[in-house]
Amino acid sequence: MTSRRVLLVAAPLLGHVFPLVPIAESLRKAGHEVLVATAAEALKVPLPTYDISPGFRFGPVAAGALLRRPLLLRAELSGTAGTKMVGPLFGAVNRKLLPGLRTAVREWRPDVVIHEPLAAAAATLGVPAILHENSLFAGPPLVEATVGDVPPPIATITIAPPSVVGARTGLPMRAVPHGLDDALPDWLTEPPRRPRILVSRSTVSQPGPDRLASRVIAAATSIDADFVLVRPGARAAAQTLPPNVRVTAWLPLARAMTVSTAIIHHGGAGTVLAALHAGIPQLVVRGAGDRRHNAELVAARGAGIAVDERSIGPEVISRLLSDASLAEAAREVSAEMAAMPHPDEVVPHLPNT
């Protein structure tokens, strides 16, 4: 086998880089050299990294793109903009990253690039490129929305389970959640005495109070279950908590799902896929960006419930625990994902590797 240099490129957000880690680790096991090119918080991966934009801050770039388009911003915040905001937002991000990305290619000389859809500038570098989908949206439309016409990828890796998103072309690969092998705190490894529900919000900083956590806290007193609030907002965490609610600063969420009954969360693609992988039902809040889309897909598959934040209360949480069809559908999708090829099995089929 000939060893290759593989450059993996992600937008500078944790949720964009984490899905690339499994294929990167499998490439290394197969004898290839890998380097992750990204910026800001996405550099916090357990792999060799190259900072292509030192000092990059996502917030100002996002504000500049969003505030100039108030009508589109309103649609984006409600989750109804679809891919219309991708170009203004991630197009601007890619323009910021492109000079450093060119430098990385010039200095490191990769044989192939693997990039996620919203780091599509990587497809313009003159290096054979593989598109690695990392969400419930199909990758090619996101690439086009981000940078326009680019040379087609030499291969596409698709990770979303077909029963949730429909059939897709490309190389199917199991979505292996980040942190699945991380250790849990001792108190979470104890067998639960009753149902355990995780409550999680986005890794992206959100303005305003954490209403999701506050609504769960208010509902918890009337539900026979234990609730674990992962990184709730400061105001929510400072409330007087019922005996069945526990707050934790951080958990390896994917690992925690394997010892939990259900999860209530913000609708990010990584959390959705991790819950499907774990085979637990999920209560997904319709929200900004792709979160409404993700919530509706989960609900349509029957593996969870899609709700608006203000609808979170005892009734819908009780249904999350009592509706056997939700748990059954979640287990079906988990089995479907387990049958998809592991990244170790996909690597030999990647061109140029």
Side-chain angles (χ1 to χ4, degrees):
M1 179 191 69
T2 302
S3 177
R4 298 290 187 182
R5 284 189 162 195
V6 184
L7 185 71
L8 296 106
V9 186
L13 294 166
L14 287 175
H16 290 246
V17 72
F18 280 164
L20 301 183
V21 172
I23 195 70
E25 292 176 338
S26 293
L27 285 162
R28 295 180 81 183
K29 283 193 287 185
H32 302 294
E33 190 174 355
V34 304
L35 181 67
V36 177
T38 186
E41 64 177 24
L43 294 166
K44 301 173 185 176
V45 289
L47 294 163
T49 58
Y50 189 109
D51 188 348
I52 54 177
S53 186
F56 181 90
R57 294 171 59 212
F58 187 84
V61 178
L66 297 172
L67 295 179
R68 288 194 294 269
R69 300 166 177 85
L71 294 180
L72 194 53
L73 172 58
R74 183 179 300 175
E76 177 72 2
L77 292 176
S78 67
T80 59
T83 61
K84 294 177 183 176
M85 187 54 84
V86 168
L89 177 52
F90 282 94
V93 170
N94 275 250
R95 288 190 291 274
K96 289 278 189 181
L97 301 182
L98 185 56
L101 193 52
R102 287 173 174 155
T103 300
V105 167
R106 185 173 63 250
E107 293 181 354
W108 201 62
R109 298 185 179 277
D111 299 295
V112 64
V113 169
I114 297 178
H115 68 92
E116 54 101 353
L118 298 183
T124 69
L125 302 171
V127 181
I130 295 172
L131 174 61
H132 187 311
E133 295 180 350
N134 63 347
S135 71
L136 302 183
F137 273 112
L142 294 179
V143 169
E144 183 177 1
T146 302
V147 295
D149 291 332
V150 294
I154 60 173
T156 298
I157 298 170
T158 180
I159 65 171
S163 73
V164 176
V165 301
R168 290 195 179 155
T169 58
L171 294 169
M173 187 180 81
R174 188 184 316 164
V176 180
H178 182 74
L180 193 60
D181 297 324
D182 291 354
L184 291 171
D186 290 343
W187 59 267
L188 201 51
T189 62
E190 299 171 0
R193 295 172 296 129
R194 52 185 174 179
R196 176 186 291 146
I197 303 176
L198 297 174
V199 183
S200 174
R201 63 175 184 155
S202 175
T203 56
V204 179
S205 296
Q206 301 291 315
D210 184 356
R211 295 187 179 89
L212 170 58
S214 294
R215 290 183 181 278
V216 170
I217 291 169
T221 55
S222 60
I223 299 173
D224 186 24
D226 291 318
F227 294 81
V228 179
L229 275 58
V230 183
R231 297 182 313 102
R235 289 174 59 184
Q239 296 181 41
T240 300
L241 302 176
N244 60 336
V245 175
R246 183 163 188 162
V247 167
T248 181
W250 180 86
L251 283 177
L253 196 60
R255 178 75 180 90
M257 289 184 201
T258 66
V259 294
S260 299
T261 309
I263 184 169
I264 302 170
H265 66 95
H266 66 291
T271 307
V272 166
L273 287 167
L276 293 173
H277 182 278
I280 61 173
Q282 44 193 309
L283 182 60
V284 192
V285 177
R286 302 183 185 100
D290 65 343
R291 297 170 190 175
R292 178 177 293 273
H293 173 75
N294 298 339
E296 297 295 354
L297 284 175
V298 168
R301 179 58 181 83
I305 307 169
V307 296
D308 295 327
E309 190 174 66
R310 61 180 178 273
S311 300
I312 294 175
E315 183 177 352
V316 72
I317 297 175
S318 295
R319 183 192 161 201
L320 179 69
L321 294 175
S322 63
D323 189 337
S325 68
L326 299 176
E328 181 180 1
R331 289 191 295 268
E332 289 172 356
V333 179
S334 178
E336 175 188 8
M337 294 174 72
M340 297 172 74
H342 187 275
D344 288 352
E345 301 172 272
V346 172
V347 164
H349 299 285
L350 296 178
N352 282 42
T353 61

